[in-house]
Amino acid sequence: MLERLNQAMEHIESHLDQPLDVAGLARIATTSEYHFRRMFSALAGLPLSEYVRRRRLTVAGAEVLAGERTLLDIATRYGYGSGEAFARAFRAVHGVGPGEARRTGAALRSQQRMSFRLIVEGTSNMRYR
């Protein structure tokens, strides 16, 4: 199950510049959309949509700092309908607007890529009184 969930995470990473396809992710994880969202939220500690939003803004932040594309190009690439909507979301995550970040080379916040592992603890016996 974890292998399938990690395949879904890889799919998210390779499609950050496209609309989120929860049905496709659920198919990859071999579960329903409802259970995929619940499982993700329980394991990750945040909703799937919030994780994807933060990852998109992390990658967009790197592109803003690189300065190779216009801010509007970056905004539309990551699904924002306007530069203003992108600037609001960018500021909410990074604490600074994209224009200011580009001008000053500000340090930005980052949502790291997630992957899931299973760690089993407590398998050894203990003596007690």
Side-chain angles (χ1 to χ4, degrees), residues 5 34-48 116:
L5 193 54
Y34 173 78
H35 283 102
F36 182 77
R37 285 183 186 276
R38 285 184 47 102
M39 186 173 33
F40 182 92
S41 184
L43 293 172
L46 74 160
L48 175 64
F116 299 99

Side-chain angles (χ1 to χ4, degrees), residues 10-80:
E10 284 299 318
H11 184 81
I12 289 170
E13 287 300 317
S14 61
H15 296 87
L16 284 172
D17 59 350
Q18 298 171 14
L20 182 60
D21 176 20
V22 182
L25 295 173
R27 278 192 301 279
I28 292 169
T30 63
T31 188
S32 69
E33 288 183 48
Y34 173 78
H35 283 102
F36 182 77
R37 285 183 186 276
R38 285 184 47 102
M39 186 173 33
F40 182 92
S41 184
L43 293 172
L46 74 160
L48 175 64
S49 58
E50 179 64 15
Y51 171 75
V52 171
R53 187 177 77 83
R54 289 181 186 180
R55 282 297 300 146
R56 283 179 176 155
L57 287 168
T58 295
V59 175
E63 289 190 24
V64 165
L65 293 179
E68 296 172 5
R69 294 177 170 210
T70 67
L71 296 179
L72 187 57
D73 285 346
I74 296 168
T76 56
R77 178 174 186 193
Y78 291 102
Y80 291 91

